[in-house]
Coordinates of all heavy atoms in Angstrom, one line a residue:
P114 N 16.2 16.8 -3.4 CA 16.0 17.1 -2.0 C 15.4 15.9 -1.3 O 14.9 15.0 -1.9 CB 14.9 18.3 -2.0 CG 14.3 18.1 -3.4 CD 15.5 17.5 -4.3
I115 N 15.3 15.9 0.0 CA 14.9 14.9 0.9 C 13.3 14.8 0.5 O 12.6 15.9 0.4 CB 15.0 15.1 2.4 CG1 14.5 13.9 3.3 CG2 14.4 16.5 2.8 CD1 15.0 14.0 4.8
D116 N 12.7 13.6 0.6 CA 11.3 13.4 0.3 C 10.6 13.6 1.7 O 10.7 12.8 2.6 CB 11.1 12.1 -0.2 CG 9.6 11.7 -0.3 OD1 8.7 12.6 -0.1 OD2 9.3 10.4 -0.4
S117 N 9.9 14.8 1.7 CA 9.4 15.1 3.1 C 8.2 14.2 3.4 O 7.6 14.2 4.6 CB 8.7 16.6 3.0 OG 7.8 16.8 1.9
T118 N 7.6 13.3 2.4 CA 6.6 12.3 2.7 C 7.3 10.9 3.0 O 6.7 9.9 2.9 CB 5.6 12.3 1.6 OG1 6.3 11.8 0.4 CG2 4.9 13.6 1.3
F119 N 8.5 11.0 3.5 CA 9.3 9.8 3.7 C 8.5 8.7 4.7 O 8.6 7.6 4.5 CB 10.6 9.9 4.2 CG 10.8 10.6 5.6 CD1 10.9 9.8 6.7 CD2 10.8 11.9 5.7 CE1 11.0 10.3 8.0 CE2 10.8 12.5 7.0 CZ 11.0 11.7 8.1
E120 N 7.7 9.4 5.6 CA 7.1 8.5 6.7 C 6.1 7.6 6.0 O 5.6 6.6 6.5 CB 6.4 9.4 7.7 CG 7.5 9.9 8.6 CD 6.9 10.8 9.7 OE1 6.3 10.4 10.7 OE2 7.1 12.1 9.6
E121 N 5.4 8.2 4.8 CA 4.5 7.2 4.1 C 5.3 6.4 3.1 O 4.7 5.3 2.8 CB 3.4 8.2 3.3 CG 2.4 8.8 4.2 CD 2.4 10.3 4.2 OE1 2.2 10.9 3.2 OE2 2.8 10.9 5.2
N122 N 6.3 7.0 2.4 CA 6.9 6.1 1.4 C 8.1 5.3 1.7 O 8.5 4.5 0.9 CB 7.5 7.3 0.4 CG 6.3 8.1 -0.2 OD1 5.2 7.7 -0.1 ND2 6.7 9.3 -0.7
R123 N 8.5 5.3 3.0 CA 9.6 4.5 3.3 C 9.3 3.6 4.5 O 8.4 4.0 5.2 CB 10.8 5.3 3.6 CG 11.5 5.9 2.4 CD 12.6 6.7 2.8 NE 13.2 7.5 1.7 CZ 14.5 7.4 1.4 NH1 15.4 6.6 2.2 NH2 15.1 8.0 0.3
E124 N 10.1 2.7 4.8 CA 9.8 1.9 6.0 C 11.0 2.0 7.0 O 12.1 2.2 6.6 CB 9.9 0.3 5.6 CG 8.5 -0.1 4.9 CD 8.5 -1.5 4.6 OE1 9.2 -2.3 5.3 OE2 7.8 -1.9 3.5
K125 N 10.6 1.9 8.3 CA 11.6 1.9 9.3 C 12.3 0.6 9.3 O 11.7 -0.4 9.4 CB 10.9 2.1 10.7 CG 10.6 3.5 11.2 CD 9.9 3.5 12.6 CE 8.9 4.6 12.6 NZ 8.3 4.5 14.0
V126 N 13.6 0.8 9.2 CA 14.4 -0.5 9.1 C 15.4 -0.7 10.3 O 16.0 -1.7 10.4 CB 15.3 -0.5 7.7 CG1 14.2 -0.7 6.6 CG2 16.2 0.6 7.6
D127 N 15.5 0.3 11.0 CA 16.6 0.3 12.2 C 16.3 1.5 13.1 O 15.6 2.4 12.8 CB 17.9 0.4 11.6 CG 19.1 -0.3 12.3 OD1 18.8 -0.7 13.5 OD2 20.2 -0.3 11.9
T128 N 17.1 1.5 14.2 CA 17.2 2.7 15.0 C 18.7 2.9 15.2 O 19.5 2.0 15.0 CB 16.6 2.6 16.4 OG1 17.2 1.4 17.1 CG2 15.2 2.3 16.3
H129 N 19.1 4.2 15.5 CA 20.5 4.6 15.6 C 20.5 5.7 16.6 O 19.8 6.7 16.5 CB 21.0 5.1 14.2 CG 22.5 5.6 14.3 ND1 22.8 6.9 14.0 CD2 23.6 5.1 14.7 CE1 24.1 7.1 14.1 NE2 24.6 5.9 14.5
Q130 N 21.2 5.6 17.7 CA 21.4 6.8 18.8 C 20.0 7.2 19.2 O 19.8 8.4 19.4 CB 22.1 8.0 18.1 CG 23.5 7.6 17.5 CD 24.5 7.4 18.7 OE1 24.3 7.2 19.8 NE2 25.8 7.5 18.2
G131 N 19.0 6.3 19.2 CA 17.7 6.6 19.7 C 16.7 7.2 18.6 O 15.6 7.6 19.1
H132 N 17.1 7.3 17.5 CA 16.2 7.8 16.5 C 16.0 6.7 15.3 O 16.7 5.7 15.3 CB 16.6 9.1 15.8 CG 18.0 9.1 15.3 ND1 19.1 9.7 16.0 CD2 18.6 8.5 14.1 CE1 20.1 9.5 15.2 NE2 19.9 8.9 14.1
D133 N 14.9 6.9 14.6 CA 14.6 5.9 13.5 C 15.5 6.1 12.4 O 16.0 7.2 12.1 CB 13.2 6.2 13.1 CG 12.2 6.0 14.2 OD1 12.3 5.0 15.0 OD2 11.2 6.7 14.2
V134 N 15.6 4.9 11.6 CA 16.3 4.9 10.4 C 15.3 4.4 9.4 O 14.8 3.3 9.6 CB 17.7 4.0 10.3 CG1 18.2 4.1 9.0 CG2 18.6 4.5 11.3
W135 N 15.1 5.2 8.2 CA 14.2 4.9 7.1 C 14.9 4.3 6.0 O 15.8 5.1 5.4 CB 13.3 6.1 6.8 CG 12.7 6.7 8.1 CD1 13.2 7.4 9.1 CD2 11.2 6.4 8.5 NE1 12.2 7.8 9.9 CE2 11.0 7.2 9.6 CE3 10.3 5.7 7.8 CZ2 9.8 7.2 10.3 CZ3 8.9 5.8 8.5 CH2 8.7 6.4 9.8
G136 N 14.5 3.1 5.4 CA 15.2 2.6 4.4 C 14.8 3.2 3.0 O 14.1 4.1 3.0
P137 N 15.4 2.5 1.9 CA 16.3 1.3 2.0 C 17.6 1.6 2.4 O 18.3 2.7 2.1 CB 16.2 0.9 0.6 CG 16.0 2.0 -0.3 CD 15.0 3.0 0.6
V138 N 18.3 0.7 3.1 CA 19.7 0.7 3.4 C 20.5 -0.4 3.0 O 20.1 -1.6 3.0 CB 19.8 0.8 5.0 CG1 21.2 0.7 5.4 CG2 19.2 2.0 5.7
E139 N 21.5 -0.1 2.3 CA 22.5 -1.0 1.6 C 23.8 -0.5 1.9 O 24.4 0.1 1.0 CB 22.1 -1.2 0.1 CG 22.7 -2.4 -0.5 CD 22.0 -3.7 -0.1 OE1 20.7 -3.8 -0.2 OE2 22.7 -4.7 0.2
E140 N 24.5 -0.8 3.0 CA 25.6 -0.2 3.4 C 26.8 -0.8 2.5 O 26.8 -2.0 2.2 CB 26.0 -0.5 5.0 CG 25.1 0.2 5.8 CD 25.3 0.0 7.4 OE1 26.1 -0.8 7.6 OE2 24.6 0.6 8.1
P141 N 27.8 0.0 2.3 CA 28.0 1.4 2.7 C 27.4 2.5 1.8 O 27.5 3.7 2.0 CB 29.5 1.6 2.8 CG 30.0 0.7 1.7 CD 29.0 -0.6 1.6
E142 N 26.9 2.0 0.6 CA 26.6 3.0 -0.5 C 25.2 3.8 -0.2 O 25.0 4.8 -0.7 CB 26.4 2.3 -1.8 CG 27.8 1.7 -2.3 CD 28.1 0.4 -1.9 OE1 27.2 -0.3 -1.1 OE2 29.2 -0.2 -2.2
Q143 N 24.3 3.0 0.5 CA 23.0 3.5 0.6 C 22.6 3.5 2.0 O 22.6 2.4 2.8 CB 21.9 2.8 -0.2 CG 20.6 3.4 -0.4 CD 19.8 2.7 -1.3 OE1 19.8 1.4 -1.5 NE2 18.7 3.4 -1.9
L144 N 22.3 4.6 2.6 CA 22.2 4.7 4.1 C 20.8 5.2 4.6 O 20.6 5.2 5.9 CB 23.3 5.7 4.7 CG 24.7 5.2 4.3 CD1 25.7 6.3 4.7 CD2 25.0 4.0 5.0
G145 N 19.8 5.6 3.8 CA 18.5 6.0 4.1 C 18.4 7.3 4.7 O 19.4 8.1 4.7
I146 N 17.4 7.5 5.6 CA 17.1 8.7 6.3 C 17.2 8.5 7.7 O 16.6 7.5 8.3 CB 15.7 9.3 5.9 CG1 15.7 9.8 4.4 CG2 15.3 10.3 6.9 CD1 14.2 10.1 3.9
H147 N 18.0 9.4 8.5 CA 18.1 9.2 9.9 C 17.2 10.3 10.6 O 17.3 11.5 10.3 CB 19.5 9.4 10.4 CG 20.4 8.2 10.2 ND1 21.1 7.6 11.2 CD2 20.6 7.5 9.1 CE1 21.7 6.7 10.8 NE2 21.4 6.5 9.5
G148 N 16.4 9.8 11.5 CA 15.6 10.8 12.3 C 14.1 10.8 11.8 O 13.8 10.5 10.6
T149 N 13.3 11.4 12.5 CA 11.9 11.6 12.1 C 11.5 13.0 12.3 O 11.0 13.7 11.4 CB 11.0 10.6 13.0 OG1 11.4 9.2 12.7 CG2 9.5 10.8 12.5
H150 N 11.4 13.6 13.5 CA 11.1 15.0 13.6 C 12.1 15.9 12.9 O 11.8 16.7 12.2 CB 11.1 15.4 15.2 CG 10.7 16.9 15.3 ND1 9.4 17.2 15.1 CD2 11.4 17.9 15.6 CE1 9.4 18.6 15.2 NE2 10.6 19.0 15.6
V151 N 13.5 15.5 13.2 CA 14.5 16.1 12.4 C 15.2 15.1 11.5 O 15.8 14.1 12.0 CB 15.6 16.8 13.3 CG1 16.7 17.4 12.3 CG2 15.0 17.9 14.1
A152 N 14.8 15.0 10.2 CA 15.3 14.0 9.3 C 16.3 14.4 8.4 O 16.2 15.3 7.8 CB 14.0 13.4 8.6
V153 N 17.4 13.6 8.3 CA 18.5 13.9 7.4 C 18.7 12.8 6.4 O 18.8 11.6 6.9 CB 19.9 14.0 8.1 CG1 20.9 14.4 7.2 CG2 19.7 15.2 9.2
D154 N 18.4 13.1 5.1 CA 18.7 12.0 4.1 C 20.2 11.9 4.0 O 20.9 12.7 3.3 CB 18.0 12.4 2.8 CG 18.1 11.4 1.8 OD1 18.9 10.5 1.9 OD2 17.1 11.2 1.1
F155 N 20.8 10.8 4.4 CA 22.2 10.4 4.5 C 22.8 10.2 3.0 O 23.9 10.5 2.9 CB 22.5 9.3 5.3 CG 22.8 9.7 6.7 CD1 22.3 10.7 7.3 CD2 23.5 8.7 7.5 CE1 22.5 11.0 8.8 CE2 23.8 9.0 8.9 CZ 23.3 10.0 9.4
D156 N 21.8 10.0 2.2 CA 22.2 9.8 0.7 C 22.3 10.9 0.0 O 23.0 11.0 -1.2 CB 21.3 8.7 0.0 CG 21.4 7.4 0.8 OD1 22.4 6.9 1.0 OD2 20.3 6.7 1.2
I157 N 21.8 12.1 0.5 CA 22.0 13.4 -0.1 C 23.0 14.3 0.6 O 23.7 15.1 0.0 CB 20.6 14.2 0.0 CG1 19.6 13.4 -0.9 CG2 20.8 15.6 -0.6 CD1 18.2 14.0 -0.8
C158 N 23.2 14.1 1.9 CA 24.1 14.9 2.8 C 25.5 14.7 2.2 O 25.9 13.7 1.9 CB 24.1 14.5 4.2 SG 25.3 15.3 5.2
L159 N 26.3 15.8 1.9 CA 27.6 15.9 1.4 C 28.5 16.6 2.4 O 29.7 17.0 2.1 CB 27.7 16.4 0.1 CG 26.9 17.7 -0.3 CD1 27.3 18.8 0.4 CD2 27.0 17.9 -1.8
A160 N 28.1 16.6 3.7 CA 29.0 17.0 4.7 C 29.3 18.5 4.6 O 30.4 18.9 5.0 CB 30.2 16.1 4.9
D161 N 28.4 19.3 4.2 CA 28.6 20.7 4.2 C 28.9 21.3 5.6 O 29.8 22.1 5.8 CB 27.3 21.5 3.6 CG 27.5 23.0 3.6 OD1 28.1 23.5 2.7 OD2 27.1 23.6 4.6
G162 N 28.2 20.9 6.6 CA 28.5 21.3 8.1 C 27.6 22.5 8.5 O 27.7 22.8 9.7
A163 N 26.9 23.3 7.5 CA 26.2 24.4 8.0 C 25.2 24.1 9.1 O 24.9 24.9 9.9 CB 25.5 25.1 6.9
C164 N 24.5 23.0 9.0 CA 23.6 22.5 10.0 C 24.1 22.4 11.5 O 23.6 22.9 12.4 CB 22.9 21.3 9.7 SG 24.0 19.8 9.4
L165 N 25.4 21.8 11.5 CA 26.0 21.7 12.8 C 26.4 23.1 13.4 O 26.2 23.3 14.5 CB 27.2 20.8 12.7 CG 27.1 19.3 12.8 CD1 26.9 18.8 11.6 CD2 28.3 18.8 13.6
E166 N 26.9 24.0 12.5 CA 27.3 25.3 12.9 C 26.1 26.2 13.3 O 26.3 27.0 14.2 CB 28.0 26.0 11.7 CG 29.4 25.6 11.5 CD 30.0 26.2 10.2 OE1 29.6 27.4 9.9 OE2 30.8 25.5 9.6
D167 N 25.0 26.0 12.6 CA 23.9 27.0 12.9 C 22.8 26.6 13.9 O 22.1 27.4 14.4 CB 23.2 27.3 11.5 CG 24.2 28.2 10.6 OD1 25.3 28.5 11.1 OD2 23.6 28.6 9.5
C168 N 22.7 25.2 14.1 CA 21.6 24.8 15.0 C 21.8 25.3 16.4 O 22.9 25.1 17.0 CB 21.6 23.3 15.0 SG 20.3 22.7 16.2
P169 N 21.0 26.1 16.9 CA 21.1 26.9 18.2 C 21.1 25.9 19.3 O 21.5 26.2 20.5 CB 19.9 27.8 18.2 CG 18.8 27.1 17.4 CD 19.6 26.4 16.4
V170 N 20.6 24.6 19.2 CA 20.6 23.7 20.4 C 21.3 22.4 20.1 O 21.1 21.4 20.8 CB 19.0 23.4 20.7 CG1 18.4 24.6 21.2 CG2 18.2 22.8 19.5
D171 N 22.2 22.4 19.1 CA 23.1 21.3 18.8 C 22.4 20.0 18.6 O 22.9 19.0 19.4 CB 24.2 21.2 20.0 CG 25.1 22.5 20.0 OD1 25.3 23.0 18.9 OD2 25.6 22.8 21.2
V172 N 21.5 19.9 17.8 CA 20.9 18.7 17.4 C 21.8 17.7 16.7 O 21.7 16.5 17.0 CB 19.5 19.0 16.5 CG1 19.0 17.8 15.9 CG2 18.6 19.6 17.4
F173 N 22.7 18.3 15.9 CA 23.4 17.3 14.9 C 24.8 17.0 15.6 O 25.5 17.8 16.3 CB 23.6 18.0 13.7 CG 22.4 18.5 13.0 CD1 21.9 19.9 13.1 CD2 21.5 17.6 12.3 CE1 20.6 20.2 12.5 CE2 20.4 17.9 11.7 CZ 19.9 19.3 11.9
E174 N 25.3 15.8 15.2 CA 26.5 15.3 15.5 C 27.1 14.6 14.3 O 26.3 13.9 13.5 CB 26.6 14.4 16.8 CG 26.3 15.1 18.1 CD 26.2 14.1 19.1 OE1 26.6 12.9 19.1 OE2 25.7 14.5 20.3
W175 N 28.4 14.7 14.0 CA 29.0 14.0 12.9 C 29.0 12.5 13.2 O 29.3 12.2 14.4 CB 30.4 14.5 12.7 CG 30.6 15.8 12.0 CD1 31.3 16.8 12.5 CD2 30.1 16.3 10.8 NE1 31.2 18.0 11.7 CE2 30.5 17.6 10.7 CE3 29.2 15.7 9.8 CZ2 30.1 18.4 9.5 CZ3 28.9 16.6 8.7 CH2 29.4 17.8 8.6
V176 N 28.8 11.6 12.1 CA 28.9 10.3 12.2 C 29.7 9.8 11.1 O 29.6 10.3 9.9 CB 27.5 9.6 12.3 CG1 26.7 9.8 11.1 CG2 27.7 8.1 12.6
D177 N 30.6 8.9 11.3 CA 31.5 8.4 10.2 C 30.6 7.4 9.2 O 29.9 6.4 9.8 CB 32.7 7.7 10.7 CG 33.6 8.6 11.4 OD1 33.7 9.7 11.0 OD2 34.2 8.2 12.5
T178 N 30.7 7.7 8.0 CA 30.1 6.7 7.0 C 31.1 6.4 5.9 O 30.9 6.8 4.7 CB 28.9 7.5 6.4 OG1 29.2 8.7 5.7 CG2 27.8 7.8 7.5
P179 N 32.1 5.6 6.2 CA 33.2 5.3 5.2 C 32.5 4.7 4.0 O 31.8 3.6 4.2 CB 34.2 4.6 6.0 CG 33.4 4.0 7.2 CD 32.5 5.1 7.5
G180 N 32.9 4.9 2.8 CA 32.4 4.3 1.7 C 31.3 4.7 1.0 O 30.8 4.3 0.0
H181 N 30.6 5.9 1.7 CA 29.5 6.5 1.0 C 29.9 7.3 -0.1 O 30.8 8.2 0.0 CB 28.5 7.2 1.9 CG 27.3 7.6 1.4 ND1 27.2 8.7 0.8 CD2 26.1 6.9 1.3 CE1 25.8 8.8 0.3 NE2 25.2 7.7 0.6
P182 N 29.3 7.2 -1.3 CA 29.7 8.0 -2.4 C 29.7 9.6 -2.2 O 30.5 10.3 -2.9 CB 28.8 7.5 -3.6 CG 27.7 6.8 -3.0 CD 28.2 6.3 -1.6
E183 N 28.7 10.1 -1.5 CA 28.5 11.5 -1.4 C 29.6 12.0 -0.2 O 30.1 13.2 -0.5 CB 27.3 12.0 -0.9 CG 26.1 11.8 -2.0 CD 26.4 12.7 -3.3 OE1 27.1 13.7 -3.2 OE2 25.8 12.3 -4.2
S184 N 29.9 11.4 0.8 CA 30.7 12.0 1.8 C 30.8 10.8 2.9 O 30.0 10.0 3.1 CB 30.2 13.3 2.6 OG 28.9 12.9 3.0
E185 N 32.1 11.0 3.5 CA 32.4 9.9 4.5 C 32.1 10.3 5.9 O 32.6 9.6 6.8 CB 33.9 9.5 4.3 CG 34.0 9.0 2.9 CD 35.2 7.9 2.8 OE1 36.2 7.9 3.5 OE2 34.9 7.0 1.9
I186 N 31.4 11.4 6.1 CA 30.8 11.8 7.4 C 29.3 12.4 7.1 O 29.2 12.9 6.0 CB 31.5 12.9 8.2 CG1 31.9 14.1 7.5 CG2 32.8 12.2 8.8 CD1 32.6 15.2 8.3
K187 N 28.5 12.3 8.1 CA 27.2 12.8 7.8 C 26.6 13.5 9.1 O 27.2 13.2 10.2 CB 26.1 11.5 7.6 CG 26.5 10.7 6.5 CD 26.3 11.3 5.1 CE 26.7 10.4 3.9 NZ 26.8 11.1 2.7
A188 N 25.7 14.3 8.9 CA 25.2 15.1 10.1 C 24.0 14.3 10.6 O 22.9 14.2 10.1 CB 24.7 16.5 9.6
D189 N 24.2 13.6 11.8 CA 23.1 12.8 12.5 C 22.4 13.6 13.4 O 22.9 14.3 14.2 CB 24.0 11.8 13.2 CG 23.2 10.6 13.5 OD1 22.2 10.1 12.7 OD2 23.4 9.9 14.6
P190 N 21.1 13.6 13.2 CA 20.2 14.2 14.3 C 20.1 13.5 15.6 O 19.1 13.1 16.0 CB 18.8 14.3 13.5 CG 18.8 12.9 12.8 CD 20.2 12.6 12.3
A191 N 21.2 13.5 16.2 CA 21.6 12.7 17.4 C 20.6 13.3 18.6 O 20.2 12.5 19.5 CB 23.0 12.7 17.9
N192 N 20.5 14.6 18.6 CA 19.6 15.2 19.7 C 18.3 15.7 19.2 O 17.9 16.9 19.6 CB 20.4 16.2 20.4 CG 21.8 15.7 20.8 OD1 21.9 14.7 21.6 ND2 22.8 16.3 20.4
E193 N 17.6 15.0 18.3 CA 16.4 15.5 17.6 C 15.3 16.0 18.7 O 14.6 17.0 18.4 CB 15.9 14.7 16.6 CG 15.1 13.5 17.1 CD 14.3 12.7 15.9 OE1 14.2 13.2 14.8 OE2 14.0 11.5 16.2
A194 N 15.3 15.4 19.8 CA 14.2 15.8 20.9 C 14.4 17.2 21.3 O 13.4 17.8 21.8 CB 14.2 14.8 21.9
Q195 N 15.6 17.7 21.1 CA 15.9 19.1 21.6 C 15.4 20.2 20.5 O 15.5 21.4 20.8 CB 17.3 19.2 22.0 CG 17.8 18.4 23.1 CD 19.2 18.5 23.3 OE1 19.9 19.4 23.0 NE2 19.8 17.5 23.9
C196 N 15.1 19.8 19.4 CA 14.7 20.8 18.3 C 13.6 21.6 18.7 O 12.7 21.3 19.2 CB 14.3 19.9 17.0 SG 13.8 21.0 15.7
I197 N 13.9 23.0 18.4 CA 13.0 24.0 18.7 C 12.3 24.6 17.4 O 11.6 25.7 17.4 CB 13.6 25.2 19.5 CG1 14.8 25.9 18.7 CG2 14.0 24.7 20.9 CD1 15.3 27.1 19.3
D198 N 12.4 23.8 16.4 CA 11.7 24.1 15.0 C 12.0 25.5 14.5 O 11.2 26.2 13.9 CB 10.1 24.1 15.3 CG 9.7 22.6 15.7 OD1 10.5 21.7 15.5 OD2 8.6 22.6 16.2
C199 N 13.3 26.0 14.7 CA 13.7 27.2 14.2 C 13.8 27.2 12.6 O 13.8 28.3 11.9 CB 15.0 27.7 14.7 SG 16.4 26.9 14.1
M200 N 13.9 26.1 12.0 CA 14.1 25.8 10.6 C 15.4 26.4 10.0 O 15.5 26.3 8.7 CB 12.9 26.4 9.8 CG 11.6 25.9 10.3 SD 11.4 24.1 10.5 CE 10.8 23.6 8.8
L201 N 16.3 26.7 10.8 CA 17.6 27.2 10.2 C 18.4 26.2 9.5 O 18.8 26.5 8.4 CB 18.5 27.6 11.3 CG 18.6 29.2 11.7 CD1 19.4 29.4 12.9 CD2 19.1 29.9 10.5
C202 N 18.4 24.9 9.9 CA 19.1 23.9 9.2 C 18.4 23.5 7.8 O 19.3 23.4 6.9 CB 19.1 22.6 10.1 SG 17.5 21.9 10.6
V203 N 17.2 23.6 7.9 CA 16.5 23.4 6.5 C 16.8 24.4 5.6 O 17.0 24.3 4.4 CB 15.0 23.5 6.7 CG1 14.2 23.3 5.4 CG2 14.6 22.2 7.6
D204 N 17.0 25.8 6.0 CA 17.3 26.9 5.1 C 18.8 26.8 4.7 O 19.1 27.3 3.6 CB 17.0 28.2 5.9 CG 15.6 28.5 6.1 OD1 14.8 27.8 5.5 OD2 15.2 29.2 7.0
V205 N 19.7 26.4 5.6 CA 21.1 26.6 5.2 C 21.7 25.3 4.5 O 22.7 25.5 3.8 CB 22.0 26.8 6.4 CG1 21.7 28.2 7.1 CG2 21.9 25.7 7.4
C206 N 21.0 24.2 4.5 CA 21.6 23.0 3.9 C 21.6 23.2 2.3 O 20.6 23.4 1.6 CB 20.9 21.8 4.1 SG 21.5 20.3 3.3
P207 N 22.9 23.2 1.7 CA 23.0 23.5 0.3 C 22.2 22.5 -0.5 O 22.0 22.8 -1.8 CB 24.4 23.7 0.0 CG 25.0 22.8 1.1 CD 24.1 22.9 2.3
V208 N 22.0 21.3 0.0 CA 21.4 20.3 -1.0 C 20.1 19.8 -0.5 O 19.6 18.7 -0.9 CB 22.4 19.0 -1.1 CG1 23.7 19.4 -2.0 CG2 23.0 18.6 0.3
D209 N 19.4 20.5 0.5 CA 18.1 20.2 0.9 C 17.9 18.8 1.4 O 17.0 18.0 1.1 CB 17.0 20.5 -0.1 CG 17.0 21.9 -0.4 OD1 17.2 22.8 0.5 OD2 16.5 22.3 -1.5
A210 N 19.0 18.4 2.3 CA 19.0 17.1 2.8 C 18.2 16.9 4.1 O 18.0 15.8 4.5 CB 20.4 16.6 3.1
I211 N 17.7 18.0 4.7 CA 17.1 18.1 5.9 C 15.6 18.4 6.0 O 15.1 19.3 5.2 CB 17.7 18.9 7.0 CG1 19.1 18.7 6.9 CG2 17.1 18.9 8.3 CD1 20.0 19.7 7.7
D212 N 14.7 17.6 6.6 CA 13.3 17.9 6.7 C 13.0 18.1 8.2 O 13.3 17.1 9.1 CB 12.5 16.8 6.0 CG 11.0 17.1 6.2 OD1 10.6 18.1 5.6 OD2 10.3 16.5 6.9
V213 N 12.4 19.0 8.6 CA 11.8 19.2 10.0 C 10.4 19.3 10.0 O 9.8 20.2 9.4 CB 12.7 20.5 10.8 CG1 11.9 20.7 12.1 CG2 14.1 20.4 10.8
D214 N 9.8 18.5 10.8 CA 8.3 18.3 10.8 C 7.8 19.3 11.9 O 7.7 18.9 13.0 CB 7.8 16.9 11.0 CG 6.4 16.8 11.2 OD1 5.7 17.8 10.8 OD2 5.8 15.8 11.6
A215 N 7.7 20.6 11.6 CA 7.4 21.5 12.6 C 5.8 21.5 12.9 O 5.3 22.3 13.9 CB 7.7 22.9 12.2
G216 N 5.0 20.6 12.3 CA 3.7 20.4 12.6 C 2.9 21.7 12.3 O 1.9 22.0 12.9
Ligands
SF4_308 FE1 18.2 22.8 15.0 FE2 16.4 24.6 14.2 FE3 17.1 22.6 12.8 FE4 15.7 22.2 14.9 S1 15.0 23.3 13.1 S2 17.4 20.9 14.3 S3 16.7 23.6 16.3 S4 18.5 24.3 13.3
F3S309 FE1 24.8 17.6 5.4 FE2 23.3 19.6 4.6 FE3 24.2 19.5 7.1 S1 25.0 18.6 3.4 S2 26.1 18.3 6.9 S3 22.7 18.0 6.2 S4 24.1 21.4 5.9
ZN310 ZN1 21.6 8.4 13.1

């Protein structure tokens, strides 16, 4: 599962679509964590898609990640500011790739 203490254990190495990217990143095999309030571990995501289907406010968008060993698309928290902390995405992801900091 995603390390929910990533903000202490990882470093911000980039930004993408207005959200933070937490390393280490070594493209294309290692992509790190995208987002902070809604965080998706791209190295765990295997493109199940339940988060995109179930999020009531469409926080997630597919992003292409060719060459990644788990999957060649990932659920990117492109609209994380719209999150209403319902926790559905956290519950439905089969590999626990998502952390939502509901405070
Ligand atoms: Fe969407 Fe709810 Fe997940 Fe927030 S917690 S990203 S609103 S499914
Ligand atoms: Fe990926 Fe989990 Fe969503 S595998 S596509 S983060 S449901
Ligand atoms: Zn991203």
Side-chain angles (χ1 to χ4, degrees):
I115 185 170
D116 174 10
S117 61
T118 60
F119 68 91
E120 287 175 77
E121 286 119 64
N122 297 337
R123 293 177 177 230
E124 284 181 30
K125 272 184 217 178
V126 295
D127 203 355
T128 59
H129 177 241
Q130 307 278 19
H132 53 256
D133 298 321
V134 178
W135 303 80
V138 172
E139 195 76 50
E140 291 180 358
E142 297 89 359
Q143 195 172 23
L144 299 174
I146 291 174
H147 281 232
T149 300
H150 182 76
V151 181
V153 180
D154 192 326
F155 274 24
D156 295 310
I157 296 174
C158 174
L159 39 65
D161 177 83
C164 58
L165 272 93
E166 281 173 33
D167 289 1
C168 177
V170 292
D171 294 332
V172 163
F173 304 98
E174 292 178 6
W175 290 122
V176 64
D177 291 327
T178 57
H181 190 271
E183 290 296 337
S184 60
E185 301 213 324
I186 54 172
K187 305 290 177 185
D189 195 35
N192 307 306
E193 72 172 348
Q195 293 172 28
C196 176
I197 56 170
D198 298 342
C199 73
M200 306 309 271
L201 263 176
C202 59
V203 172
D204 291 341
V205 295
C206 179
V208 288
D209 291 332
I211 307 174
D212 181 67
V213 173
D214 181 12

